[in-house]
Amino acid sequence: MSTETANRHSDLSRRLIQQANYELDKKGDRVQACEKASGAVAHAVKAIAEERQWRHGSHNLRRTVVDLVSAEFHLPDLILLHAVADQLHENFYEDRFHNSQLKERLQRATDLVEQLWEIRERGPNPDFVPTPDQQRTIERLELSEEEASTDPLIDYPPPLPPFEPPGE
């Protein structure tokens, strides 16, 4: 993991958000606009994770990174904005959004990537004190891919307790 790789992800993010807007505005290609915008968000998150030496190789890991960064900078809307990127990704497969819906979500995705670029530029918040759960999450993200692969359930929440209906 390196700054060069983080820069590459950041550069891709910037390119993809421009392409998303071009695909929609100039070509009318809703499907490609969705995929480019969701990719721009993913690469912006990957840039932050890469810089911090956190794993980021799945949608779920990137969602986790956004959750942590949201808490770190007191920006709860980042989680909601990331959900917009997930909607755009889903629309790549379904093509259900009308242009007005897509334009709104594309603007929100653009806002999100801009916030993520700024967060990466600022670096980690020195005043952030993670909760014990957040610290455990950070420690899981800091595992190498090889270390994480030794436990296939490492990125899953703990098992649910047994279900015992009352009165039985």
Side-chain angles (χ1 to χ4, degrees), residues 67-105:
D67 289 350
L68 286 168
V69 169
S70 170
E72 179 180 345
F73 289 96
H74 308 288
L75 296 168
D77 286 349
L78 285 182
I79 294 169
L80 299 174
L81 287 171
H82 192 266
V84 169
D86 287 343
Q87 290 174 355
L88 290 167
H89 182 69
E90 180 182 338
N91 197 62
F92 171 74
Y93 298 102
E94 303 301 328
D95 190 27
R96 301 264 179 172
F97 288 150
H98 293 275
N99 280 3
S100 60
Q101 293 172 303
L102 183 51
K103 283 182 188 219
E104 172 66 26
R105 284 164 178 81

PDB file of all heavy atoms in Angstrom, residues 67-105:
ATOM      1  N   ASP A  67     -18.034   4.469   6.981  1.00  0.00           N
ATOM      2  CA  ASP A  67     -18.595   4.575   8.333  1.00  0.00           C
ATOM      3  C   ASP A  67     -17.578   5.167   9.303  1.00  0.00           C
ATOM      4  O   ASP A  67     -17.907   6.048  10.104  1.00  0.00           O
ATOM      5  CB  ASP A  67     -19.041   3.208   8.848  1.00  0.00           C
ATOM      6  CG  ASP A  67     -20.280   2.673   8.157  1.00  0.00           C
ATOM      7  OD1 ASP A  67     -20.928   3.424   7.399  1.00  0.00           O
ATOM      8  OD2 ASP A  67     -20.601   1.481   8.371  1.00  0.00           O
ATOM      9  N   LEU A  68     -16.345   4.686   9.227  1.00  0.00           N
ATOM     10  CA  LEU A  68     -15.301   5.180  10.138  1.00  0.00           C
ATOM     11  C   LEU A  68     -14.961   6.644   9.862  1.00  0.00           C
ATOM     12  O   LEU A  68     -14.839   7.448  10.789  1.00  0.00           O
ATOM     13  CB  LEU A  68     -14.045   4.324  10.022  1.00  0.00           C
ATOM     14  CG  LEU A  68     -14.122   2.950  10.670  1.00  0.00           C
ATOM     15  CD1 LEU A  68     -12.938   2.093  10.246  1.00  0.00           C
ATOM     16  CD2 LEU A  68     -14.185   3.077  12.188  1.00  0.00           C
ATOM     17  N   VAL A  69     -14.805   6.991   8.599  1.00  0.00           N
ATOM     18  CA  VAL A  69     -14.456   8.363   8.239  1.00  0.00           C
ATOM     19  C   VAL A  69     -15.599   9.311   8.614  1.00  0.00           C
ATOM     20  O   VAL A  69     -15.371  10.429   9.083  1.00  0.00           O
ATOM     21  CB  VAL A  69     -14.098   8.454   6.740  1.00  0.00           C
ATOM     22  CG1 VAL A  69     -13.994   9.886   6.270  1.00  0.00           C
ATOM     23  CG2 VAL A  69     -12.798   7.705   6.472  1.00  0.00           C
ATOM     24  N   SER A  70     -16.819   8.840   8.443  1.00  0.00           N
ATOM     25  CA  SER A  70     -17.984   9.626   8.830  1.00  0.00           C
ATOM     26  C   SER A  70     -17.944   9.953  10.319  1.00  0.00           C
ATOM     27  O   SER A  70     -18.170  11.094  10.722  1.00  0.00           O
ATOM     28  CB  SER A  70     -19.260   8.839   8.497  1.00  0.00           C
ATOM     29  OG  SER A  70     -20.390   9.442   9.049  1.00  0.00           O
ATOM     30  N   ALA A  71     -17.626   8.960  11.134  1.00  0.00           N
ATOM     31  CA  ALA A  71     -17.530   9.175  12.580  1.00  0.00           C
ATOM     32  C   ALA A  71     -16.331  10.060  12.916  1.00  0.00           C
ATOM     33  O   ALA A  71     -16.426  10.958  13.757  1.00  0.00           O
ATOM     34  CB  ALA A  71     -17.418   7.834  13.297  1.00  0.00           C
ATOM     35  N   GLU A  72     -15.221   9.811  12.261  1.00  0.00           N
ATOM     36  CA  GLU A  72     -13.983  10.543  12.543  1.00  0.00           C
ATOM     37  C   GLU A  72     -14.135  12.045  12.321  1.00  0.00           C
ATOM     38  O   GLU A  72     -13.587  12.847  13.078  1.00  0.00           O
ATOM     39  CB  GLU A  72     -12.872   9.983  11.652  1.00  0.00           C
ATOM     40  CG  GLU A  72     -11.544  10.640  11.805  1.00  0.00           C
ATOM     41  CD  GLU A  72     -10.488  10.036  10.888  1.00  0.00           C
ATOM     42  OE1 GLU A  72     -10.691   8.932  10.337  1.00  0.00           O
ATOM     43  OE2 GLU A  72      -9.436  10.700  10.720  1.00  0.00           O
ATOM     44  N   PHE A  73     -14.873  12.417  11.285  1.00  0.00           N
ATOM     45  CA  PHE A  73     -15.000  13.835  10.944  1.00  0.00           C
ATOM     46  C   PHE A  73     -16.388  14.404  11.270  1.00  0.00           C
ATOM     47  O   PHE A  73     -16.714  15.510  10.848  1.00  0.00           O
ATOM     48  CB  PHE A  73     -14.654  14.056   9.467  1.00  0.00           C
ATOM     49  CG  PHE A  73     -13.193  13.882   9.197  1.00  0.00           C
ATOM     50  CD1 PHE A  73     -12.703  12.673   8.743  1.00  0.00           C
ATOM     51  CD2 PHE A  73     -12.303  14.913   9.449  1.00  0.00           C
ATOM     52  CE1 PHE A  73     -11.336  12.499   8.518  1.00  0.00           C
ATOM     53  CE2 PHE A  73     -10.935  14.751   9.224  1.00  0.00           C
ATOM     54  CZ  PHE A  73     -10.460  13.541   8.761  1.00  0.00           C
ATOM     55  N   HIS A  74     -17.185  13.632  11.995  1.00  0.00           N
ATOM     56  CA  HIS A  74     -18.528  14.078  12.394  1.00  0.00           C
ATOM     57  C   HIS A  74     -19.347  14.483  11.173  1.00  0.00           C
ATOM     58  O   HIS A  74     -19.952  15.556  11.141  1.00  0.00           O
ATOM     59  CB  HIS A  74     -18.454  15.227  13.411  1.00  0.00           C
ATOM     60  CG  HIS A  74     -17.582  14.924  14.583  1.00  0.00           C
ATOM     61  ND1 HIS A  74     -17.946  14.039  15.567  1.00  0.00           N
ATOM     62  CD2 HIS A  74     -16.344  15.359  14.903  1.00  0.00           C
ATOM     63  CE1 HIS A  74     -16.974  13.949  16.454  1.00  0.00           C
ATOM     64  NE2 HIS A  74     -15.988  14.727  16.063  1.00  0.00           N
ATOM     65  N   LEU A  75     -19.331  13.619  10.160  1.00  0.00           N
ATOM     66  CA  LEU A  75     -20.067  13.861   8.918  1.00  0.00           C
ATOM     67  C   LEU A  75     -21.038  12.698   8.659  1.00  0.00           C
ATOM     68  O   LEU A  75     -20.800  11.864   7.768  1.00  0.00           O
ATOM     69  CB  LEU A  75     -19.102  14.014   7.736  1.00  0.00           C
ATOM     70  CG  LEU A  75     -18.150  15.203   7.783  1.00  0.00           C
ATOM     71  CD1 LEU A  75     -17.069  15.091   6.720  1.00  0.00           C
ATOM     72  CD2 LEU A  75     -18.934  16.502   7.629  1.00  0.00           C
ATOM     73  N   PRO A  76     -22.109  12.614   9.439  1.00  0.00           N
ATOM     74  CA  PRO A  76     -23.011  11.459   9.298  1.00  0.00           C
ATOM     75  C   PRO A  76     -23.627  11.335   7.917  1.00  0.00           C
ATOM     76  O   PRO A  76     -23.989  10.232   7.495  1.00  0.00           O
ATOM     77  CB  PRO A  76     -24.079  11.696  10.370  1.00  0.00           C
ATOM     78  CG  PRO A  76     -23.989  13.144  10.715  1.00  0.00           C
ATOM     79  CD  PRO A  76     -22.576  13.573  10.429  1.00  0.00           C
ATOM     80  N   ASP A  77     -23.738  12.435   7.180  1.00  0.00           N
ATOM     81  CA  ASP A  77     -24.332  12.367   5.847  1.00  0.00           C
ATOM     82  C   ASP A  77     -23.471  11.583   4.855  1.00  0.00           C
ATOM     83  O   ASP A  77     -23.970  11.161   3.810  1.00  0.00           O
ATOM     84  CB  ASP A  77     -24.603  13.762   5.292  1.00  0.00           C
ATOM     85  CG  ASP A  77     -25.806  14.414   5.955  1.00  0.00           C
ATOM     86  OD1 ASP A  77     -26.546  13.715   6.684  1.00  0.00           O
ATOM     87  OD2 ASP A  77     -26.012  15.622   5.753  1.00  0.00           O
ATOM     88  N   LEU A  78     -22.196  11.375   5.172  1.00  0.00           N
ATOM     89  CA  LEU A  78     -21.363  10.567   4.277  1.00  0.00           C
ATOM     90  C   LEU A  78     -21.947   9.173   4.099  1.00  0.00           C
ATOM     91  O   LEU A  78     -21.880   8.601   3.009  1.00  0.00           O
ATOM     92  CB  LEU A  78     -19.932  10.446   4.812  1.00  0.00           C
ATOM     93  CG  LEU A  78     -19.012  11.640   4.677  1.00  0.00           C
ATOM     94  CD1 LEU A  78     -17.636  11.299   5.221  1.00  0.00           C
ATOM     95  CD2 LEU A  78     -18.923  12.117   3.248  1.00  0.00           C
ATOM     96  N   ILE A  79     -22.515   8.638   5.164  1.00  0.00           N
ATOM     97  CA  ILE A  79     -23.103   7.294   5.085  1.00  0.00           C
ATOM     98  C   ILE A  79     -24.290   7.306   4.127  1.00  0.00           C
ATOM     99  O   ILE A  79     -24.445   6.407   3.291  1.00  0.00           O
ATOM    100  CB  ILE A  79     -23.503   6.797   6.487  1.00  0.00           C
ATOM    101  CG1 ILE A  79     -22.244   6.608   7.338  1.00  0.00           C
ATOM    102  CG2 ILE A  79     -24.303   5.501   6.405  1.00  0.00           C
ATOM    103  CD1 ILE A  79     -22.513   6.382   8.807  1.00  0.00           C
ATOM    104  N   LEU A  80     -25.120   8.337   4.234  1.00  0.00           N
ATOM    105  CA  LEU A  80     -26.277   8.446   3.337  1.00  0.00           C
ATOM    106  C   LEU A  80     -25.832   8.673   1.900  1.00  0.00           C
ATOM    107  O   LEU A  80     -26.404   8.101   0.961  1.00  0.00           O
ATOM    108  CB  LEU A  80     -27.183   9.582   3.793  1.00  0.00           C
ATOM    109  CG  LEU A  80     -27.771   9.444   5.197  1.00  0.00           C
ATOM    110  CD1 LEU A  80     -28.528  10.705   5.594  1.00  0.00           C
ATOM    111  CD2 LEU A  80     -28.659   8.229   5.281  1.00  0.00           C
ATOM    112  N   LEU A  81     -24.813   9.499   1.729  1.00  0.00           N
ATOM    113  CA  LEU A  81     -24.316   9.753   0.379  1.00  0.00           C
ATOM    114  C   LEU A  81     -23.717   8.489  -0.234  1.00  0.00           C
ATOM    115  O   LEU A  81     -23.863   8.243  -1.429  1.00  0.00           O
ATOM    116  CB  LEU A  81     -23.291  10.889   0.390  1.00  0.00           C
ATOM    117  CG  LEU A  81     -23.866  12.278   0.608  1.00  0.00           C
ATOM    118  CD1 LEU A  81     -22.739  13.284   0.827  1.00  0.00           C
ATOM    119  CD2 LEU A  81     -24.738  12.699  -0.548  1.00  0.00           C
ATOM    120  N   HIS A  82     -23.051   7.694   0.599  1.00  0.00           N
ATOM    121  CA  HIS A  82     -22.497   6.446   0.076  1.00  0.00           C
ATOM    122  C   HIS A  82     -23.619   5.502  -0.366  1.00  0.00           C
ATOM    123  O   HIS A  82     -23.467   4.752  -1.330  1.00  0.00           O
ATOM    124  CB  HIS A  82     -21.589   5.781   1.107  1.00  0.00           C
ATOM    125  CG  HIS A  82     -20.799   4.672   0.511  1.00  0.00           C
ATOM    126  ND1 HIS A  82     -21.228   3.374   0.557  1.00  0.00           N
ATOM    127  CD2 HIS A  82     -19.638   4.657  -0.172  1.00  0.00           C
ATOM    128  CE1 HIS A  82     -20.353   2.611  -0.064  1.00  0.00           C
ATOM    129  NE2 HIS A  82     -19.375   3.372  -0.527  1.00  0.00           N
ATOM    130  N   ALA A  83     -24.741   5.567   0.322  1.00  0.00           N
ATOM    131  CA  ALA A  83     -25.890   4.762  -0.086  1.00  0.00           C
ATOM    132  C   ALA A  83     -26.362   5.171  -1.484  1.00  0.00           C
ATOM    133  O   ALA A  83     -26.839   4.332  -2.256  1.00  0.00           O
ATOM    134  CB  ALA A  83     -27.017   4.891   0.928  1.00  0.00           C
ATOM    135  N   VAL A  84     -26.223   6.451  -1.818  1.00  0.00           N
ATOM    136  CA  VAL A  84     -26.559   6.919  -3.167  1.00  0.00           C
ATOM    137  C   VAL A  84     -25.647   6.241  -4.192  1.00  0.00           C
ATOM    138  O   VAL A  84     -26.105   5.815  -5.258  1.00  0.00           O
ATOM    139  CB  VAL A  84     -26.462   8.457  -3.267  1.00  0.00           C
ATOM    140  CG1 VAL A  84     -26.545   8.931  -4.707  1.00  0.00           C
ATOM    141  CG2 VAL A  84     -27.557   9.106  -2.422  1.00  0.00           C
ATOM    142  N   ALA A  85     -24.375   6.120  -3.865  1.00  0.00           N
ATOM    143  CA  ALA A  85     -23.442   5.434  -4.777  1.00  0.00           C
ATOM    144  C   ALA A  85     -23.871   3.982  -4.962  1.00  0.00           C
ATOM    145  O   ALA A  85     -23.798   3.445  -6.078  1.00  0.00           O
ATOM    146  CB  ALA A  85     -22.019   5.518  -4.241  1.00  0.00           C
ATOM    147  N   ASP A  86     -24.332   3.343  -3.890  1.00  0.00           N
ATOM    148  CA  ASP A  86     -24.831   1.968  -4.006  1.00  0.00           C
ATOM    149  C   ASP A  86     -26.072   1.914  -4.911  1.00  0.00           C
ATOM    150  O   ASP A  86     -26.222   0.986  -5.705  1.00  0.00           O
ATOM    151  CB  ASP A  86     -25.164   1.401  -2.628  1.00  0.00           C
ATOM    152  CG  ASP A  86     -23.928   1.070  -1.815  1.00  0.00           C
ATOM    153  OD1 ASP A  86     -22.824   0.956  -2.389  1.00  0.00           O
ATOM    154  OD2 ASP A  86     -24.072   0.922  -0.577  1.00  0.00           O
ATOM    155  N   GLN A  87     -26.946   2.927  -4.802  1.00  0.00           N
ATOM    156  CA  GLN A  87     -28.122   2.980  -5.672  1.00  0.00           C
ATOM    157  C   GLN A  87     -27.703   3.129  -7.136  1.00  0.00           C
ATOM    158  O   GLN A  87     -28.281   2.489  -8.021  1.00  0.00           O
ATOM    159  CB  GLN A  87     -29.022   4.145  -5.282  1.00  0.00           C
ATOM    160  CG  GLN A  87     -29.730   3.990  -3.969  1.00  0.00           C
ATOM    161  CD  GLN A  87     -30.489   5.259  -3.590  1.00  0.00           C
ATOM    162  OE1 GLN A  87     -30.408   6.285  -4.277  1.00  0.00           O
ATOM    163  NE2 GLN A  87     -31.225   5.184  -2.506  1.00  0.00           N
ATOM    164  N   LEU A  88     -26.713   3.959  -7.367  1.00  0.00           N
ATOM    165  CA  LEU A  88     -26.227   4.139  -8.738  1.00  0.00           C
ATOM    166  C   LEU A  88     -25.644   2.845  -9.278  1.00  0.00           C
ATOM    167  O   LEU A  88     -25.875   2.484 -10.435  1.00  0.00           O
ATOM    168  CB  LEU A  88     -25.191   5.265  -8.788  1.00  0.00           C
ATOM    169  CG  LEU A  88     -25.742   6.671  -8.576  1.00  0.00           C
ATOM    170  CD1 LEU A  88     -24.614   7.657  -8.327  1.00  0.00           C
ATOM    171  CD2 LEU A  88     -26.605   7.103  -9.754  1.00  0.00           C
ATOM    172  N   HIS A  89     -24.903   2.145  -8.446  1.00  0.00           N
ATOM    173  CA  HIS A  89     -24.330   0.865  -8.870  1.00  0.00           C
ATOM    174  C   HIS A  89     -25.445  -0.127  -9.216  1.00  0.00           C
ATOM    175  O   HIS A  89     -25.377  -0.819 -10.232  1.00  0.00           O
ATOM    176  CB  HIS A  89     -23.424   0.312  -7.765  1.00  0.00           C
ATOM    177  CG  HIS A  89     -22.752  -0.963  -8.134  1.00  0.00           C
ATOM    178  ND1 HIS A  89     -21.774  -1.035  -9.098  1.00  0.00           N
ATOM    179  CD2 HIS A  89     -22.918  -2.217  -7.669  1.00  0.00           C
ATOM    180  CE1 HIS A  89     -21.364  -2.287  -9.215  1.00  0.00           C
ATOM    181  NE2 HIS A  89     -22.049  -3.025  -8.363  1.00  0.00           N
ATOM    182  N   GLU A  90     -26.464  -0.172  -8.376  1.00  0.00           N
ATOM    183  CA  GLU A  90     -27.595  -1.065  -8.647  1.00  0.00           C
ATOM    184  C   GLU A  90     -28.297  -0.670  -9.947  1.00  0.00           C
ATOM    185  O   GLU A  90     -28.704  -1.526 -10.736  1.00  0.00           O
ATOM    186  CB  GLU A  90     -28.585  -1.021  -7.490  1.00  0.00           C
ATOM    187  CG  GLU A  90     -29.789  -1.915  -7.697  1.00  0.00           C
ATOM    188  CD  GLU A  90     -30.792  -1.826  -6.576  1.00  0.00           C
ATOM    189  OE1 GLU A  90     -30.434  -1.422  -5.449  1.00  0.00           O
ATOM    190  OE2 GLU A  90     -31.962  -2.158  -6.832  1.00  0.00           O
ATOM    191  N   ASN A  91     -28.433   0.630 -10.193  1.00  0.00           N
ATOM    192  CA  ASN A  91     -29.110   1.083 -11.404  1.00  0.00           C
ATOM    193  C   ASN A  91     -28.324   0.730 -12.666  1.00  0.00           C
ATOM    194  O   ASN A  91     -28.906   0.631 -13.739  1.00  0.00           O
ATOM    195  CB  ASN A  91     -29.392   2.589 -11.360  1.00  0.00           C
ATOM    196  CG  ASN A  91     -30.436   2.976 -12.378  1.00  0.00           C
ATOM    197  OD1 ASN A  91     -31.573   2.527 -12.316  1.00  0.00           O
ATOM    198  ND2 ASN A  91     -30.038   3.808 -13.330  1.00  0.00           N
ATOM    199  N   PHE A  92     -27.025   0.533 -12.532  1.00  0.00           N
ATOM    200  CA  PHE A  92     -26.235   0.075 -13.675  1.00  0.00           C
ATOM    201  C   PHE A  92     -26.827  -1.235 -14.205  1.00  0.00           C
ATOM    202  O   PHE A  92     -26.877  -1.468 -15.409  1.00  0.00           O
ATOM    203  CB  PHE A  92     -24.776  -0.120 -13.256  1.00  0.00           C
ATOM    204  CG  PHE A  92     -23.932  -0.795 -14.299  1.00  0.00           C
ATOM    205  CD1 PHE A  92     -23.523  -0.113 -15.431  1.00  0.00           C
ATOM    206  CD2 PHE A  92     -23.544  -2.113 -14.144  1.00  0.00           C
ATOM    207  CE1 PHE A  92     -22.735  -0.732 -16.396  1.00  0.00           C
ATOM    208  CE2 PHE A  92     -22.756  -2.740 -15.092  1.00  0.00           C
ATOM    209  CZ  PHE A  92     -22.356  -2.047 -16.221  1.00  0.00           C
ATOM    210  N   TYR A  93     -27.304  -2.079 -13.309  1.00  0.00           N
ATOM    211  CA  TYR A  93     -27.866  -3.375 -13.701  1.00  0.00           C
ATOM    212  C   TYR A  93     -29.346  -3.301 -14.053  1.00  0.00           C
ATOM    213  O   TYR A  93     -29.836  -4.108 -14.839  1.00  0.00           O
ATOM    214  CB  TYR A  93     -27.666  -4.390 -12.569  1.00  0.00           C
ATOM    215  CG  TYR A  93     -26.218  -4.639 -12.279  1.00  0.00           C
ATOM    216  CD1 TYR A  93     -25.601  -4.050 -11.189  1.00  0.00           C
ATOM    217  CD2 TYR A  93     -25.445  -5.439 -13.117  1.00  0.00           C
ATOM    218  CE1 TYR A  93     -24.258  -4.259 -10.930  1.00  0.00           C
ATOM    219  CE2 TYR A  93     -24.102  -5.653 -12.866  1.00  0.00           C
ATOM    220  CZ  TYR A  93     -23.518  -5.061 -11.770  1.00  0.00           C
ATOM    221  OH  TYR A  93     -22.186  -5.267 -11.514  1.00  0.00           O
ATOM    222  N   GLU A  94     -30.061  -2.348 -13.458  1.00  0.00           N
ATOM    223  CA  GLU A  94     -31.510  -2.315 -13.601  1.00  0.00           C
ATOM    224  C   GLU A  94     -32.028  -1.242 -14.551  1.00  0.00           C
ATOM    225  O   GLU A  94     -33.110  -1.393 -15.111  1.00  0.00           O
ATOM    226  CB  GLU A  94     -32.170  -2.119 -12.220  1.00  0.00           C
ATOM    227  CG  GLU A  94     -31.787  -3.179 -11.204  1.00  0.00           C
ATOM    228  CD  GLU A  94     -32.153  -4.588 -11.629  1.00  0.00           C
ATOM    229  OE1 GLU A  94     -33.160  -4.772 -12.338  1.00  0.00           O
ATOM    230  OE2 GLU A  94     -31.421  -5.519 -11.243  1.00  0.00           O
ATOM    231  N   ASP A  95     -31.334  -0.120 -14.682  1.00  0.00           N
ATOM    232  CA  ASP A  95     -31.744   1.011 -15.523  1.00  0.00           C
ATOM    233  C   ASP A  95     -33.194   1.413 -15.261  1.00  0.00           C
ATOM    234  O   ASP A  95     -34.022   1.464 -16.150  1.00  0.00           O
ATOM    235  CB  ASP A  95     -31.536   0.700 -17.007  1.00  0.00           C
ATOM    236  CG  ASP A  95     -31.714   1.944 -17.878  1.00  0.00           C
ATOM    237  OD1 ASP A  95     -31.491   3.069 -17.373  1.00  0.00           O
ATOM    238  OD2 ASP A  95     -32.089   1.783 -19.058  1.00  0.00           O
ATOM    239  N   ARG A  96     -33.467   1.724 -13.995  1.00  0.00           N
ATOM    240  CA  ARG A  96     -34.832   2.119 -13.607  1.00  0.00           C
ATOM    241  C   ARG A  96     -34.964   3.615 -13.341  1.00  0.00           C
ATOM    242  O   ARG A  96     -36.075   4.124 -13.284  1.00  0.00           O
ATOM    243  CB  ARG A  96     -35.260   1.360 -12.354  1.00  0.00           C
ATOM    244  CG  ARG A  96     -35.237  -0.123 -12.507  1.00  0.00           C
ATOM    245  CD  ARG A  96     -36.575  -0.637 -12.844  1.00  0.00           C
ATOM    246  NE  ARG A  96     -36.516  -2.082 -13.005  1.00  0.00           N
ATOM    247  CZ  ARG A  96     -37.565  -2.806 -13.148  1.00  0.00           C
ATOM    248  NH1 ARG A  96     -38.744  -2.241 -13.135  1.00  0.00           N
ATOM    249  NH2 ARG A  96     -37.453  -4.093 -13.308  1.00  0.00           N
ATOM    250  N   PHE A  97     -33.854   4.316 -13.119  1.00  0.00           N
ATOM    251  CA  PHE A  97     -33.938   5.743 -12.820  1.00  0.00           C
ATOM    252  C   PHE A  97     -34.268   6.539 -14.079  1.00  0.00           C
ATOM    253  O   PHE A  97     -33.689   6.307 -15.141  1.00  0.00           O
ATOM    254  CB  PHE A  97     -32.607   6.284 -12.268  1.00  0.00           C
ATOM    255  CG  PHE A  97     -32.278   5.856 -10.869  1.00  0.00           C
ATOM    256  CD1 PHE A  97     -30.959   5.726 -10.475  1.00  0.00           C
ATOM    257  CD2 PHE A  97     -33.260   5.601  -9.927  1.00  0.00           C
ATOM    258  CE1 PHE A  97     -30.629   5.352  -9.184  1.00  0.00           C
ATOM    259  CE2 PHE A  97     -32.952   5.219  -8.636  1.00  0.00           C
ATOM    260  CZ  PHE A  97     -31.628   5.093  -8.259  1.00  0.00           C
ATOM    261  N   HIS A  98     -35.181   7.480 -13.911  1.00  0.00           N
ATOM    262  CA  HIS A  98     -35.431   8.453 -14.966  1.00  0.00           C
ATOM    263  C   HIS A  98     -34.318   9.494 -14.886  1.00  0.00           C
ATOM    264  O   HIS A  98     -33.614   9.605 -13.882  1.00  0.00           O
ATOM    265  CB  HIS A  98     -36.809   9.097 -14.774  1.00  0.00           C
ATOM    266  CG  HIS A  98     -37.922   8.121 -14.972  1.00  0.00           C
ATOM    267  ND1 HIS A  98     -38.449   7.829 -16.216  1.00  0.00           N
ATOM    268  CD2 HIS A  98     -38.600   7.349 -14.091  1.00  0.00           C
ATOM    269  CE1 HIS A  98     -39.402   6.928 -16.088  1.00  0.00           C
ATOM    270  NE2 HIS A  98     -39.515   6.617 -14.797  1.00  0.00           N
ATOM    271  N   ASN A  99     -34.173  10.279 -15.945  1.00  0.00           N
ATOM    272  CA  ASN A  99     -33.071  11.241 -15.994  1.00  0.00           C
ATOM    273  C   ASN A  99     -33.059  12.180 -14.791  1.00  0.00           C
ATOM    274  O   ASN A  99     -32.005  12.489 -14.254  1.00  0.00           O
ATOM    275  CB  ASN A  99     -33.114  12.040 -17.295  1.00  0.00           C
ATOM    276  CG  ASN A  99     -32.533  11.273 -18.454  1.00  0.00           C
ATOM    277  OD1 ASN A  99     -32.147  10.114 -18.312  1.00  0.00           O
ATOM    278  ND2 ASN A  99     -32.496  11.895 -19.612  1.00  0.00           N
ATOM    279  N   SER A 100     -34.232  12.667 -14.373  1.00  0.00           N
ATOM    280  CA  SER A 100     -34.263  13.594 -13.240  1.00  0.00           C
ATOM    281  C   SER A 100     -33.787  12.918 -11.958  1.00  0.00           C
ATOM    282  O   SER A 100     -33.064  13.528 -11.164  1.00  0.00           O
ATOM    283  CB  SER A 100     -35.666  14.166 -13.046  1.00  0.00           C
ATOM    284  OG  SER A 100     -36.596  13.128 -12.785  1.00  0.00           O
ATOM    285  N   GLN A 101     -34.166  11.662 -11.762  1.00  0.00           N
ATOM    286  CA  GLN A 101     -33.693  10.927 -10.583  1.00  0.00           C
ATOM    287  C   GLN A 101     -32.183  10.722 -10.654  1.00  0.00           C
ATOM    288  O   GLN A 101     -31.482  10.873  -9.663  1.00  0.00           O
ATOM    289  CB  GLN A 101     -34.378   9.562 -10.504  1.00  0.00           C
ATOM    290  CG  GLN A 101     -35.854   9.613 -10.224  1.00  0.00           C
ATOM    291  CD  GLN A 101     -36.479   8.242 -10.354  1.00  0.00           C
ATOM    292  OE1 GLN A 101     -36.380   7.612 -11.413  1.00  0.00           O
ATOM    293  NE2 GLN A 101     -37.108   7.789  -9.280  1.00  0.00           N
ATOM    294  N   LEU A 102     -31.727  10.381 -11.821  1.00  0.00           N
ATOM    295  CA  LEU A 102     -30.302  10.127 -11.997  1.00  0.00           C
ATOM    296  C   LEU A 102     -29.488  11.401 -11.812  1.00  0.00           C
ATOM    297  O   LEU A 102     -28.439  11.391 -11.166  1.00  0.00           O
ATOM    298  CB  LEU A 102     -30.046   9.515 -13.370  1.00  0.00           C
ATOM    299  CG  LEU A 102     -28.614   9.133 -13.673  1.00  0.00           C
ATOM    300  CD1 LEU A 102     -28.019   8.277 -12.568  1.00  0.00           C
ATOM    301  CD2 LEU A 102     -28.540   8.421 -14.998  1.00  0.00           C
ATOM    302  N   LYS A 103     -29.972  12.515 -12.356  1.00  0.00           N
ATOM    303  CA  LYS A 103     -29.239  13.785 -12.201  1.00  0.00           C
ATOM    304  C   LYS A 103     -29.098  14.150 -10.725  1.00  0.00           C
ATOM    305  O   LYS A 103     -28.038  14.601 -10.293  1.00  0.00           O
ATOM    306  CB  LYS A 103     -29.936  14.914 -12.961  1.00  0.00           C
ATOM    307  CG  LYS A 103     -29.685  14.849 -14.444  1.00  0.00           C
ATOM    308  CD  LYS A 103     -30.353  15.999 -15.169  1.00  0.00           C
ATOM    309  CE  LYS A 103     -30.215  15.750 -16.654  1.00  0.00           C
ATOM    310  NZ  LYS A 103     -29.951  16.932 -17.402  1.00  0.00           N
ATOM    311  N   GLU A 104     -30.156  13.966  -9.961  1.00  0.00           N
ATOM    312  CA  GLU A 104     -30.108  14.253  -8.517  1.00  0.00           C
ATOM    313  C   GLU A 104     -29.069  13.371  -7.829  1.00  0.00           C
ATOM    314  O   GLU A 104     -28.245  13.847  -7.048  1.00  0.00           O
ATOM    315  CB  GLU A 104     -31.485  14.037  -7.891  1.00  0.00           C
ATOM    316  CG  GLU A 104     -31.513  14.123  -6.384  1.00  0.00           C
ATOM    317  CD  GLU A 104     -31.196  15.500  -5.834  1.00  0.00           C
ATOM    318  OE1 GLU A 104     -31.419  16.505  -6.531  1.00  0.00           O
ATOM    319  OE2 GLU A 104     -30.701  15.570  -4.687  1.00  0.00           O
ATOM    320  N   ARG A 105     -29.075  12.093  -8.131  1.00  0.00           N
ATOM    321  CA  ARG A 105     -28.134  11.176  -7.495  1.00  0.00           C
ATOM    322  C   ARG A 105     -26.707  11.396  -7.989  1.00  0.00           C
ATOM    323  O   ARG A 105     -25.756  11.267  -7.230  1.00  0.00           O
ATOM    324  CB  ARG A 105     -28.584   9.734  -7.712  1.00  0.00           C
ATOM    325  CG  ARG A 105     -29.754   9.386  -6.801  1.00  0.00           C
ATOM    326  CD  ARG A 105     -30.477   8.137  -7.240  1.00  0.00           C
ATOM    327  NE  ARG A 105     -31.549   7.800  -6.331  1.00  0.00           N
ATOM    328  CZ  ARG A 105     -32.759   8.364  -6.349  1.00  0.00           C
ATOM    329  NH1 ARG A 105     -33.039   9.321  -7.238  1.00  0.00           N
ATOM    330  NH2 ARG A 105     -33.687   7.993  -5.487  1.00  0.00           N
TER     331      ARG A 105
END
